Amino acid sequence: MRHEKMEVWQRSKQLSVEVYRELKDLRDFGFKDQITRSALSIPSNIAEGFERFTEKEKFRFVSIAKGSCGEFATQTLIGIEVGYITEAVGQHWRNEAMTLSRMLGSLLKALDMRPQR
């Protein structure tokens, strides 16, 4: 299956786009760089994993994407608390990150059950 057809990739790509658009004028470049990188890491690692040759490599990159969900959710919470992100936007992002994390967890379980190549 191509990663572009997967709902988890489509949703994570859209989340990344939302983050870039919402924070385009943020002047704290360190924070902006970190949170956009973690959001971008989710669809990017899914794509990279699905371009790899072995199931082991695919599993590894999907696992990294799942970790990036937690990183992004934490950075979003901090962004809310320091006033960079509104409560409404931040809660939407955190909810989406946790949904993506659950989806990736299910994907990892499915990948773990496949025969290794």
Side-chain angles (χ1 to χ4, degrees):
M1 172 184 259
R2 294 287 308 156
H3 64 273
E4 295 98 337
K5 295 185 184 270
M6 299 173 62
E7 181 184 359
V8 69
W9 180 85
Q10 292 170 357
R11 287 177 69 163
S12 62
K13 178 197 59 84
Q14 185 56 44
L15 177 62
S16 186
V17 169
E18 288 177 23
V19 171
Y20 272 87
R21 287 183 177 154
E22 183 71 25
L23 299 178
K24 69 180 181 338
D25 296 326
L26 182 63
R27 307 269 315 167
D28 183 337
F29 298 110
F31 179 82
K32 182 163 89 173
D33 181 61
Q34 191 67 35
I35 195 168
T36 54
R37 282 172 172 260
S38 65
L40 185 62
S41 177
I42 303 167
S44 298
N45 277 292
I46 295 168
E48 186 166 357
F50 275 79
E51 290 295 323
R52 296 295 177 138
F53 289 107
T54 68
E55 295 300 311
K56 184 176 179 180
E57 288 178 303
K58 188 181 293 182
F59 186 94
R60 179 173 159 260
F61 281 94
V62 172
S63 180
I64 292 168
K66 186 174 179 353
S68 293
C69 288
E71 180 183 4
F72 173 75
T74 297
Q75 292 162 354
T76 299
L77 184 59
I78 293 166
I80 293 167
E81 289 187 24
V82 299
Y84 292 162
I85 302 167
T86 66
E87 183 78 28
V89 168
Q91 286 309 318
H92 165 70
W93 288 357
R94 285 179 50 77
N95 290 339
E96 188 65 5
M98 294 300 95
T99 297
L100 292 169
S101 181
R102 285 190 298 275
M103 293 171 80
L104 290 168
S106 295
L107 179 57
L108 287 167
K109 285 179 186 171
L111 290 172
D112 200 34
M113 300 205 133
R114 289 185 183 176
Q116 297 297 310
R117 284 192 248 151

